[in-house]
Every structure is written in C-alpha cells, then in structure tokens.
Amino acid sequence: MSEHTRPSFVRGIFAGQIHAPLLFPFPPTLDERDPAEARVVRRLIATLHAMRADGLIDPAAFDETETIPEPVIKAFADAGLLGLTIPKQYGGLGLSATAYARVFGAVAAVDASLGVLIGVHCGLGSKAIVLFGNEDQKARYLPMLARGETLAAYALTEPDIGSDAQNIKTTATLNDQGDHWVLNGRKFWIGNGQRAGVIATFAQTIVMRKGEPVRRPTAFIIRPDMPGFSVVGTFRKMGIRGSTQAELSYENLQVPTDHVLGQVGKGFNVAVNVLNGGRLSLGAGCVAGTRRILGELATYAEHREQFGHPLAHYEITQRKLSSLASDLYAGEAMLGAISAAVDYADSDYSLEAACLKVFCSDLVWRSADEMVQVAGGRGFVKPYPYERYLRDARIHRIFEGANEILRLFIALNGVQGPAERLREVSKAIKAPLRNLGLVSGYMSSRMASMLGGTPDLGVPVHEALADHVRYFEKHVAELHTETERAITKYRRELPERQLVVERLANMAIDLYATAATIARTQRLIEQRGAEAVAHEIALADLFCVTAGRRFREHRLALSGREDEVDDTRRRIATAMRNASGYVVDDVVLTDTATPAHPPTARTTPEPARR
Ligand SMILES: Cc1cc2nc3c(=O)[nH]c(=O)nc-3n(C[C@H](O)[C@H](O)[C@H](O)COP(=O)(O)OP(=O)(O)OC[C@H]3O[C@@H](n4cnc5c(N)ncnc54)[C@H](O)[C@@H]3O)c2cc1C
C-alpha cells in the first residue's frame, strides 16, 4: 500500500473493519524514536518553565490586561518557539508532529492564551505556507516567521460565516491588468490579527468547473501593508484573554497574483488541511491542560479538609479524580497514536484528529469545571486561578471546528464507505461532506479502509486487556450494523437525521479511544511487565468500562425506540421555535418571567471590540 493510501482506523470501524497495524504495536515514545529531537523538546520546555519562574510569563496578568506583552513574544522568538513547525532550511526547528505536540502542549498548559498565540502562529498561519506555499513564498516569508520578526495569522471566519466555511462571502477578483487580486470582505475573530505581518486568508473566486463558472474559495497570503487592509478592532472575551482576536477589513485589498497560496479555486483544500493539523495540536493543548488541572485538583483535594478529612478522602471526590484521569489516559493514547502516524507517513488522519479534538476539548472543560467545583467558593473567585481555567477551557469546544460540526464530519465520513453500495445515499452525503471539509483525495483511503481490515483485532494482548478487546470487537461489529441500519432506514435523509449521525459519531469516538488505550497499555505491559504498570492497567480498565457503557447507551438508542423520543424532541423544538423560547400554558412563574429578547439577525449586537 502506498503511503498515501494508509487507511483511516476510524473510517474502517464504520465498515466493521479493524486495521490493527495502525495502532499495534503502539508507537514508541519520542525519546525512543529520536533522542536528539527529544532533547530539543526538553530544552524548549525548560526554557518555557524558566520564563514562567522568572515571572516573564504571568497568566493572571495576561488575563487582567488582556494582552501578551511584546517582551514575551521576543523571548519566545529568541528561544526558537516561533519556528517550531517551520522547516530547518527556512530557519525553523522543523519539529516532527510528535515533538510539536509536546512543546505546544507545554505552552498551552503554562497559559492557554499563549497556547492560542503559538497555535495560530505556528500551527495555522505559518503552517499554511509550509504546506501549500511555493518555493518563492516559503523563502520570502518563512524565515521572518521563524525568527519571530512578525507573527502569522489565519483568517477564514467572517461575521456571517463560521462553521459553513465553504460559503465565505469575501470575494477576490483579478484586476484588469491581471497582476493583482482585489479582495473585499470582513474577517472575524482572527487570532494575532492586529499584530500579524503575514496572514493566510481566503476569498471566493470564480473558476470554471465542467465548463461552467462557479464560486470556489482561494487561499492568499496577505500583509497589513497591502493597500485596502485595515484592522477594525479587537474583541473582548470570556477566556484566553491574553490572546487577541481582531476584525479585519479588506476594502479593495490589492494582493499581487504571486500571493495565491496553492491553486486558484482550491482554497478550501488549504483550509481543511491546515485545520486538520490544528486539531491535532489543539488536542495536545487540551491533553496537557487537563494534566495540569488534574495536578492542581489532586493537590487541592488533599489539602482542603472538611468534616475532619481531606476532600480527597471522600468517594465523590475520588470518582471525579479517577474518571478524569482515565479519560486523560485515553486522550493521551489517541494523541500519541495520531502524532506518530503523522510522522510515519502521509496518513489520512482527519477523522482521528477530529475525534481527538472533540474528546479532549470536552475533557479539559469537564476538568476545569470539576476543579472549580472541588475548590468550592475558591473555585469561583480571584485570585485563585480556577475560574480562569474554566473560562480559558471553554473556547476549545468552539473553534477549529465546533464539536457538533466535527461529530457530523466524523460520522458522515465514516458512513460514506458503507454507503457506496447505495448510490442515492452516498450522493446525498456528498454535498454536506464537501461543506464539512471532505477532501476528495481521501477517496483512496476510504476504499483502503473498506479493505484489508479484519473483524477481529488479531493481535495477542495481555490477559488484563483480553475482556476489553472482546468487547471492542463486538462493539465494532455493532457500529457497522448500526451504520448499515441507519443507511437503509434513512437513506438520502440520513444527513438530516443529526441525532442518529451524532450517536454514530459518539460511538466511533469512544471506540477509537478504546483501541488506542488498549494499544498503549499493551505496549507498557510488554515493556515493563503487568505488575509495574498496575496503575495504568487500572486507568485503562476504568476507561474501557465507562466508554463501553456509553457505547451501549448509544447503540440502544439507535436500535430501540429512541426514534419516538427523537420525534418528541423535534416537536418540543418546533414549539419553542414558534414561540421563540420556552412556552407552557400552565405558567408557574408568570409574574416574574423576564421578557425574552430573541437574538435575531437584526437584534444581535455586534460583539464588543476595543
Ligand atoms: C476566541 C476565538 C478565536 C478564534 N480564532 C480564529 C482564527 O484565528 N481564525 C479564524 O478564521 N477563525 C477563528 N475563530 C472563529 C471560530 O473558528 C468560529 O467561531 C467557529 O468556527 C464557529 O463559527 P461561528 O462562531 O460563526 O459559529 P456558528 O457557525 O454560527 O455555529 C454556532 C453553533 O451552531 C452549531 N452549528 C452550526 N452549524 C450547524 C449544523 N449544520 N448543525 C448543527 N449545529 C450547527 C455549531 O456547532 C455551534 O455550536 C475564532 C473564534 C473565537 C471565538
């Protein structure tokens, strides 16, 4: 199989196919694979921690002042932390995906705002040029970005277009001389947008497809000194306040033709590929952030005494600790597997990265929420950092693909393989999939995911994991059955049946996490012996059991009478839509009810800017 056809594990399980070699043996650690790169990673993380210890990095101050001061960015540049993803030949560190995930995670764990600044610069803006820039563009822009002379940004979102990125409204037309593109439009929430010197952006262009003119996004590199560019203002936010997001205006913005990134009309491909990588690093940030929060949660619960015992003594606290820790163990397993897969070959990892992003962004949010709860009143007030953790954690479920959209993306992609046999269904799925960011080049992987896998794992595992493997195999078969049932039952309506699609996605996410967890634990047992890793086996146990329960709940919903409950859900939602809110005839709180101000397109205020 060529490296481009390395299949997707997640696509495979929708078809009842387990591609065990993609996860077994679980990849060795970076230290084992590349000790020299691991040393670079340790050096970078040590530098970062020194900046924190010196007080240069001050998360509370970043939050209060809503900015990250220039000296911090300068120190990051000096340490090479702005060239993490830029190849060495252009002055960067050219880190592997695994190494970048580790460094990025460390940055995000120290301060989420810094994580966003670095993620946008290294993982989105610079990365767009690394992946799609031509030689001239790379030589011109990457060295300055690696040196940190300026920051990079990535400007896709617009006031009216967020998740539906394929349909951005910004336009680009070629001028009469044919030497400049003229861009018109607005971009919203653009990280680093107010200080970036290099911005990867997107606009609709007219291209010919099958002899007809059609609108297709094109990617461009723009600079703030190009005529027609302006920063309208920056936004005030709930969390990650140290990072800054700007509104950008393009008014007849003059962009030379040699600043097209990739091919004209192929900009969505650029956007999607960059965001796939972004989701991997976002997952890394959430994993590292959760790990940090769990350290603080365990410490706090040990030191705070009520009713004569530390909070950690009580079983409810222990449930919180153990559940979050076992989920973190699974999140780490997915991260390790995906980042190594990216390093080994040009894999189709878009679904796996989406699983990681959804799972870990939900996890960091729950961790921060439990941190606040365990800290009680201190969780809610300053100067304790816990309320900030909660505020900072919230955005991860929204940006780089809102979790609802990513669940649709995972399941509709997964369903696509098995749906090939029913032309009407595969056709009906194609349009929403294209909008969600399916890259047609993944066709080969889709086919590969249908072939070569087996219904069984086919890998010997330690007896401590044997039951989990049996359930995993059973559940993969059940996911396939439910996928087939959904295809046959809903046919071309399937993309509209989001509750069904969402359940399939949740099942697949838990199955992928379970497989990665088993693979990771098996490797640890092989390396150190079962006794030495009893704690890790316990984490794996707890995760596999709870993920299995969630799986069964979704399966029962799909195969049982949940359709009727879904009908009830739809009926209630319809009544609420008609009434613009909660409505019952028997109103208990008539007099005290606050009149609703439905946020319509007309009444929704523009977000606050500075
Ligand atoms: C702090 C911050 C930083 C950001 N940084 C950047 C950046 O650097 N560059 C950039 O380009 N963008 C950036 N964004 C934009 C971000 O990626 C978008 O906010 C995100 O994609 C969601 O778009 P939206 O806000 O317009 O929400 P919408 O698309 O309006 O979605 C709102 C909600 O509806 C749900 N929804 C939407 N469509 C459907 C559907 N078909 N079915 C079911 N549910 C649906 C979504 O899941 C979401 O929960 C940033 C945003 C924020 C807040």
Side-chain angles (χ1 to χ4, degrees):
M1 196 177 289
S2 96
E3 60 174 16
H4 289 281
T5 55
R6 196 179 149 97
S8 150
F9 190 92
V10 174
R11 258 181 232 281
I13 57 178
F14 280 92
Q17 300 289 308
I18 303 171
H19 289 274
L22 293 174
L23 285 175
F24 292 83
F26 193 76
T29 62
L30 186 65
D31 292 77
E32 291 160 338
R33 265 164 33 207
D34 189 343
E37 190 176 48
R39 276 196 296 279
V40 173
V41 166
R42 275 197 294 277
R43 173 177 61 75
L44 291 170
I45 294 177
T47 308
L48 180 74
H49 289 162
M51 289 184 209
R52 175 78 178 101
D54 291 350
L56 181 66
I57 296 178
D58 184 345
F62 296 172
D63 182 63
E64 283 295 327
T65 57
E66 301 187 24
T67 190
I68 293 172
E70 287 297 331
V72 180
I73 297 173
K74 166 96 178 55
F76 266 57
D78 292 347
L81 283 158
L82 296 182
L84 299 173
T85 51
I86 295 175
K88 286 182 183 157
Q89 68 192 102
Y90 301 107
L93 292 175
L95 293 187
S96 65
T98 306
Y100 176 59
R102 274 183 55 183
V103 177
F104 179 77
V107 174
V110 165
D111 179 51
S113 293
L114 266 175
V116 170
L117 185 145
I118 295 298
V120 170
H121 173 81
C122 294
L124 298 180
S126 303
K127 196 66 192 233
I129 300 177
V130 171
L131 291 179
F132 290 94
N134 59 33
E135 259 323 304
D136 285 350
Q137 291 166 341
K138 288 181 184 178
R140 183 164 181 192
Y141 287 118
L142 292 181
M144 68 166 85
L145 293 170
R147 286 193 298 270
E149 277 168 28
T150 187
L151 287 175
Y154 176 90
L156 175 63
T157 307
E158 301 180 350
D160 294 332
I161 298 290
S163 304
D164 187 12
Q166 173 97 294
N167 287 313
I168 48 170
K169 293 188 172 169
T170 298
T171 56
T173 45
L174 206 52
N175 68 357
D176 291 342
Q177 297 76 25
D179 56 2
H180 278 75
W181 288 91
V182 182
L183 272 62
N184 278 290
R186 283 158 81 200
K187 296 289 175 182
F188 244 34
W189 339 109
I190 304 310
N192 303 340
Q194 86 297 359
R195 65 199 334 172
V198 179
I199 303 170
T201 197
F202 302 85
Q204 298 286 2
T205 43
I206 302 294
V207 291
M208 298 303 283
R209 294 281 186 271
K210 296 179 186 158
E212 296 287 323
V214 290
R215 275 158 38 105
R216 290 283 184 274
T218 293
F220 297 89
I221 302 171
I222 61 168
R223 292 193 321 259
D225 59 359
M226 290 174 173
F229 178 94
S230 63
V231 175
V232 178
T234 57
F235 296 93
R236 307 210 60 199
K237 309 186 298 286
M238 170 201 287
I240 55 161
R241 287 185 180 166
S243 73
T244 312
Q245 283 72 28
E247 177 181 351
L248 310 179
S249 163
Y250 309 156
E251 226 178 296
N252 293 325
L253 173 66
Q254 307 284 311
V255 183
T257 44
D258 62 359
H259 279 58
V260 168
L261 195 49
Q263 291 175 37
V264 173
K266 295 280 173 81
F268 197 52
N269 188 30
V270 177
V272 164
N273 273 288
V274 172
L275 285 172
N276 275 338
R279 284 172 201 142
L280 178 58
S281 29
L282 197 149
C286 292
V287 159
T290 302
R291 194 180 177 125
R292 189 229 162 117
I293 290 173
L294 290 197
E296 298 203 25
L297 208 167
T299 310
Y300 188 96
E302 213 53 68
H303 287 90
R304 172 77 176 167
E305 288 196 6
Q306 288 294 287
F307 304 101
H309 293 288
L311 298 178
H313 165 84
Y314 299 109
E315 286 201 344
I316 289 177
T317 315
Q318 293 178 9
R319 168 179 54 74
K320 294 175 180 185
L321 287 171
S322 56
S323 147
L324 293 170
S326 64
D327 281 2
L328 176 57
Y329 182 75
E332 284 180 340
M334 282 192 277
L335 175 62
I338 302 168
S339 52
V342 174
D343 290 337
Y344 284 147
D346 183 12
S347 320
D348 169 7
Y349 68 96
S350 54
L351 269 62
E352 286 73 9
C355 290
L356 176 80
K357 192 274 186 181
V358 170
F359 184 92
C360 296
S361 59
D362 280 352
L363 175 60
V364 75
W365 168 249
R366 267 189 294 124
S367 309
D369 184 48
E370 291 293 16
M371 178 73 245
V372 167
Q373 189 69 14
V374 167
R378 287 169 184 77
F380 196 72
V381 300
K382 295 175 195 278
Y384 302 96
Y386 315 124
E387 55 86 30
R388 172 163 50 82
Y389 296 166
L390 189 74
R391 290 188 283 108
D392 284 350
R394 189 61 185 85
I395 186 62
H396 298 107
R397 292 166 57 201
I398 297 173
F399 63 13
E400 301 207 22
N403 286 5
E404 292 79 5
I405 302 300
L406 290 181
R407 286 189 167 95
L408 299 178
F409 172 77
I410 292 163
L412 289 178
N413 266 299
V415 164
Q416 205 194 16
E420 294 286 320
R421 68 183 165 76
L422 277 183
R423 230 177 93 71
E424 57 160 329
V425 184
S426 71
K427 233 175 112 192
I429 295 173
K430 277 205 178 89
L433 264 185
R434 225 184 348 264
N435 292 340
L436 292 171
L438 173 80
V439 184
S440 56
Y442 287 152
M443 176 70 181
S444 54
S445 168
R446 192 164 83 232
M447 296 320 292
S449 297
M450 305 277 290
L451 304 168
T454 52
D456 306 323
L457 194 67
V459 174
V461 295
H462 187 268
E463 59 184 10
L465 301 170
D467 270 351
H468 300 318
V469 169
R470 266 194 297 281
Y471 276 110
F472 169 73
E473 290 169 345
K474 181 171 175 287
H475 289 168
V476 169
E478 288 172 356
L479 175 63
H480 183 213
T481 307
E482 293 309 329
T483 301
E484 291 287 345
R485 190 203 303 272
I487 291 168
T488 318
K489 186 168 177 183
Y490 301 109
R491 299 181 86 95
R492 71 179 67 186
E493 275 180 30
L494 184 57
E496 304 301 319
R497 304 305 291 249
Q498 289 193 344
L499 298 178
V500 171
V501 175
E502 187 180 43
R503 286 180 193 119
L504 292 173
N506 285 332
M507 290 158 85
I509 293 169
D510 267 334
L511 280 182
Y512 178 57
T514 300
T517 299
I518 294 172
R520 180 186 188 190
T521 314
Q522 173 63 21
R523 180 167 168 278
L524 285 174
I525 295 173
E526 282 167 14
Q527 282 185 327
R528 300 183 210 165
E531 264 179 42
V533 295
H535 175 63
E536 286 75 7
I537 293 175
L539 289 170
D541 269 340
L542 184 59
F543 179 75
C544 292
V545 168
T546 44
R549 282 187 194 148
R550 283 194 297 265
F551 181 95
R552 279 189 289 282
E553 201 177 305
H554 292 307
R555 180 178 56 69
L556 283 173
L558 288 172
S559 59
R561 291 180 44 204
E562 198 68 9
D563 246 4
E564 289 170 28
V565 184
D566 286 347
D567 274 343
T568 308
R569 291 189 173 100
R570 278 187 284 270
R571 276 201 305 278
I572 293 173
T574 304
M576 293 187 70
R577 290 177 70 185
N578 292 338
S580 291
Y582 174 73
V583 56
V584 280
D585 282 341
D586 176 26
V587 181
V588 176
L589 293 176
T590 324
D591 297 339
T592 53
T594 316
H597 294 290
T600 64
R602 269 167 290 116
T603 59
T604 304
E606 286 269 293
R609 296 189 205 88
R610 283 181 292 176

